[in-house]
Amino acid sequence: MKVLAHRRLLALALAGSLLGACGLLPSSGDEEQVLDVWLMQYSAPDDFVDAVVRDFESRHEGVSVRVTVQEWGGIGEKVTEVLTSGEGPDVIEVGNTQVAQYVDLGGVKDLTAQVVALDGDDWIPGLAEAGKVYGHQYGIPYYAANRVVIHRTDFFEEAGITGPPADRQEWLAVTEALNGDGRQGIYLAGQNWYVLAGFLWDEGGDLAVESAGRWHGALDTDEARAAMEFYSELQALGNGPKNSDEATPNQDEVFAAGDVAQIIAPPGAAQAIIESNPTLEGRLGFFPVPGKETGTPGAVFTGGSNLIIPSATGEPVLAYEFVKLLTGDEWQTELARTMSYVPNRTTLTEAVEGDPGWTAMVEGARNGHSAPRSPRWGDVEADNPVKDFQTAVLTGADPVQAGKEASDALTALLGGYPRPSG
């Protein structure tokens, strides 16, 4: 019995030393434990978040979870402030393009030692890589998604359109047929840079390129001009604003108003649309963004979120346990079914098979891409020259000059140096 007791004490001591080495020792004190969590707007519905919170609190007596839903606009500055000040939430949802930037600032907990316990071997490689910086895992994959075309099936039928367009040119023709008589063929905001990026990748270009460890903007290219030309043609077949993005006004709400035939959005947007306008139940369809070649889906931005834990958290154990619960099988399956997301792990793809939105998204994901992997890409998203380029061209500026100005701005933000002209 003494030997067993000794072994138990040794095991407890070892566990404590491991937690201390990983920075996961629990807080002390008798005050009520509150876990502060930041989640992003539109990532998950309120009832889903409420259910997760109830589940977590039922597993941790005396613990309250306080969830704050943040808007994407300006989130970079907010996260930067809390990471540098050491005062803020215990868990933060961040875009998968932002992890490297926040790690570069410091103040993000290294969770490499927890990957095995989080079943990291099954994570979708692209999402897992987005959370890995300098070979260490800082971001834990939350979900993945890419954009599809959400359309009104009744409008398509009225126009005699029997199936999704096979390529870009047919898409333009279909959209033109849908446009007019008080109806927008498509609602595409002028500054939807995610959509432009897909057209740019289709042309063989990119937003920025790396050379000798330095990043340069790449909008002063023939590929960028071709991508923007197609964007301009498509955008003109609706009344989308030329000087704002898809969030201003919110394109889901514009679509729900009833006179729009198509938008380009993650399939989960359909739920928000139907909640806003229940009469659209059963009238929404999905197809992948058409590509340049017949039968080949267009390139799309593969987005999604990771969860990070600030180093300064006062509740490291609870923060880790919350991340583990939210990224585990049960709630990943529920989130995928609710929002038509791609779950964070390959073992759960059957959870949403048969869902038309998810099927279109997975088809489009075959040509998925990510933003440039610069640690300073978050600076670009905070003050995005790509959007300025789009608005400039849509309002009549010379695309060559606008592309050069945007490329120079991208280069400055990414810490590169101007490329030689000529």
Side-chain angles (χ1 to χ4, degrees), residues 72-98:
W72 284 106
I75 189 59
E77 294 89 336
K78 288 185 178 181
V79 175
T80 296
E81 181 180 353
V82 299
L83 291 179
T84 53
S85 69
E87 298 179 1
D90 305 293
V91 177
I92 307 175
E93 176 190 348
V94 301
N96 61 355
T97 64
Q98 300 171 329

Side-chain angles (χ1 to χ4, degrees), residues 338-360:
T338 300
M339 297 295 291
S340 295
Y341 286 152
V342 177
N344 68 357
R345 61 195 67 200
T346 57
T347 53
L348 298 178
T349 55
E350 293 182 359
V352 283
E353 283 184 355
D355 178 276
W358 184 84
T359 300

